[in-house]
Amino acid sequence: MKQLRSNVIRAGLEALYFTGAHHLLRPLFAGVGSIFMLHHVRPVRETQFQPNRHLEVTPEFLRAVLTHLRSRHIDIITLDELHRRLTERDFSRPFACFTFDDGYRDNRDFALPVMQEFDAPLTVYVASDFADGEGKLWWAALEMVIAKACAVEATIDGVATRIDTSTPAAKHAAFDRLHDWLRSLSGRNDLAREIGTLCARHGVDEAAICRELCMSWNELKSFANEKLVSIGAHSVTHCNLAQQSEEIASAEMSTSRARIESSLQKAVTHLAYPYGDRLAAGAREFALASTAGFKTAVTTRPGMIFSESAKHLTALPRVSLNGNYQQARILPVLTSGAATAIWNGFRRVDAA
Ligand SMILES: [Zn+2]
C-alpha cells in the first residue's frame, strides 16, 4: 500500500513536471516561502531492506536543492528571520528555511558541510531523551528487528499474531503493519514496552541505536556553536503529543526546551511536533506551543508559507525532502507549491 502511494506521488510529481503545470500554479501557490523538512543526510546505504528510506537524502541531493534555490534567487534564512518577515510582513524576497528533525549525527557530518558551501543556515530539532542516549527510535529498531527475523510475533489488539518476514516483500508488508500498529498505541509507555519486547526477543540493542545515530549533549554543544546552526526543541520522549493529557503534552514541550537551554546555554524558541501530522499535532498542541512561548512551531503537514501563515506561527507546514524522490527535476515542482497545493486541495493555509 505504501509502495502504491509512493508510486502515485511520484507519478504526480513527474506529471506536474512534464506538463509544465507547475509554471501555471507557481504564481498562485508558491507562497512567500517554504520550510524544508529533513531527517538523515548520509550517503546511500547498500542494504536491500530500507523501509525508513523516505527519512534520508544524500549530501548530493541536498546540494542540488540548495543550487536550485540559489538559481531562483530564493533567500535561505533562519527561523528567527522567517518569524521577523512574517510578523513585519516583509515579503519582498522569496525565502526558504532548512529544518532537520531528531538530532542525528549525520546532520553534523554530512548536512552541515553542504550547508556551509552555500553559507545557508539550518535548524536541528532535538528530542532531549535522544541527546541523553536513552531515546526510543522505534522505527529504526523495528527495521532492524524485521531485517534479522524470519517471523515476528506480537499481540495485536489482544490477538497473538505471527507475521512472516522471510522474504523482502514480506518484510516490507510486515514493517507497514507493525509500524501502523505501534503508532496507534496511545500511552507513552505502550509503544516503548512493545518495541522493547520485540528488540529483546530478536537481539536488537535499542539503546545502542540511539547512541549510534544521535548526537550526545557534548557533541551538540560544539555543533550548536557553529555559526549557521540553531537548535530547536522536539519534545523529551518523541511521543505523539495529541495522545497525551494536556499536562504531559505541555511538559514535553517545556521540559525539552529547558533541558536543551541548560545543556547548551542557548535560548530555544522554535519547536517541531514529533510526527507532526494531523494525528499528532492539532489545535490544542498549537495553542500549547504558543502559550509555552515558542516563536514558531512546525508540523509535518505539507504546504508552503503564505502571508496568512503569520496568524498561525505555531502551526507552520513544511515541504518534505523525501528520500524516495531525489530527482533534481522535481525541484521546480516542489518550489512552485504545485505539489503541496494539490495535496491540500488547493487550500493555502491548513492550521485547524
Ligand atoms: Zn522526529
Side-chain angles (χ1 to χ4, degrees):
M1 197 54 209
K2 290 222 170 99
Q3 191 55 46
L4 176 64
R5 191 165 67 202
S6 152
N7 288 341
V8 169
I9 295 171
R10 190 194 315 275
L13 290 170
E14 302 267 347
L16 284 165
Y17 174 77
F18 285 113
T19 59
H22 60 288
H23 293 303
L24 299 171
L25 293 167
R26 182 179 292 277
L28 292 172
F29 294 105
V32 296
S34 52
I35 305 174
F36 288 105
M37 167 175 69
L38 299 95
H39 290 80
H40 293 282
V41 177
R42 57 188 175 192
V44 172
R45 293 180 295 151
E46 294 306 327
T47 50
Q48 202 196 0
F49 179 60
Q50 293 188 41
N52 290 305
R53 202 178 76 125
H54 61 288
L55 297 176
E56 61 184 271
V57 301
T58 63
E60 293 72 31
F61 184 64
L62 177 58
R63 186 176 292 114
V65 177
L66 287 154
T67 303
H68 171 72
L69 295 175
R70 285 280 187 250
S71 78
R72 295 203 66 94
H73 308 289
I74 293 172
D75 292 348
I76 300 167
I77 62 173
T78 61
L79 288 171
D80 280 338
E81 173 65 6
L82 168 140
H83 181 267
R84 186 197 69 74
R85 290 189 187 196
L86 281 177
T87 51
E88 296 179 8
R89 312 194 71 69
D90 172 2
F91 305 127
S92 53
R93 290 176 58 87
F95 61 78
C97 297
F98 279 78
T99 62
F100 298 74
D101 289 10
D102 301 337
Y104 296 118
R105 186 173 294 115
D106 56 45
N107 294 175
R108 177 196 70 191
D109 295 343
F110 295 105
L112 180 62
V114 177
M115 301 303 286
Q116 284 170 331
E117 287 170 31
F118 295 83
D119 199 27
L122 64 154
T123 297
V124 173
Y125 295 108
V126 169
S128 52
D129 273 1
F130 290 11
D132 280 335
E134 288 169 10
K136 306 280 183 201
L137 282 76
W138 61 270
W139 54 93
L142 183 62
E143 176 176 328
M144 290 179 73
V145 164
I146 294 175
K148 289 176 83 169
C150 291
V152 170
E153 286 169 21
T155 304
I156 300 176
D157 301 327
V159 181
T161 309
R162 187 171 194 276
I163 301 172
D164 175 40
T165 55
S166 59
T167 65
K171 284 183 194 297
H172 279 284
F175 183 88
D176 287 351
R177 182 168 179 200
L178 291 165
H179 184 278
D180 290 351
W181 166 60
L182 288 166
R183 261 213 70 182
S184 73
L185 299 174
S186 51
R188 275 195 299 189
N189 300 328
D190 297 342
L191 204 170
R193 185 190 62 241
E194 295 298 338
I195 192 70
T197 306
L198 285 174
C199 286
R201 194 177 296 151
H202 294 277
V204 168
D205 182 349
E206 218 184 340
I209 298 173
C210 178
R211 290 194 298 270
E212 187 196 321
L213 295 178
C214 298
M215 284 183 274
S216 66
W217 290 117
N218 250 340
E219 292 174 298
L220 282 168
K221 247 176 242 169
S222 43
F223 182 63
N225 281 329
E226 291 285 348
K227 182 183 94 166
L228 296 169
V229 172
S230 304
I231 303 293
H234 195 40
S235 84
V236 176
T237 63
H238 203 281
C239 62
N240 178 331
L241 295 172
Q243 286 178 338
Q244 313 306 320
S245 69
E246 185 167 324
E247 204 182 353
I248 291 178
S250 164
E252 282 274 347
M253 293 181 196
S254 52
T255 309
S256 67
R257 177 172 59 190
R259 286 175 62 190
I260 298 167
E261 288 184 335
S262 73
S263 300
L264 305 183
Q265 295 296 304
K266 292 199 187 276
V268 170
T269 53
H270 304 283
L271 172 78
Y273 305 102
Y275 312 108
D277 57 14
R278 204 166 280 287
L279 300 171
R284 186 192 71 171
E285 289 66 51
F286 303 154
L288 288 177
S290 172
T291 307
F294 288 103
K295 286 166 77 174
T296 73
V298 293
T299 65
T300 60
R301 296 187 191 190
M304 310 298 279
I305 304 298
F306 293 91
S307 57
E308 303 95 294
S309 305
K311 290 190 228 101
H312 307 282
L313 289 168
T314 55
L316 297 174
R318 289 190 283 179
V319 175
S320 167
L321 292 180
N322 182 312
N324 290 324
Y325 321 107
Q326 298 191 58
Q327 300 90 348
R329 67 165 181 260
I330 65 159
L331 291 172
V333 177
L334 283 185
T335 58
S336 73
T340 48
I342 288 171
W343 185 285
N344 288 323
F346 297 99
R347 273 177 307 173
R348 283 153 65 101
V349 171
D350 169 24

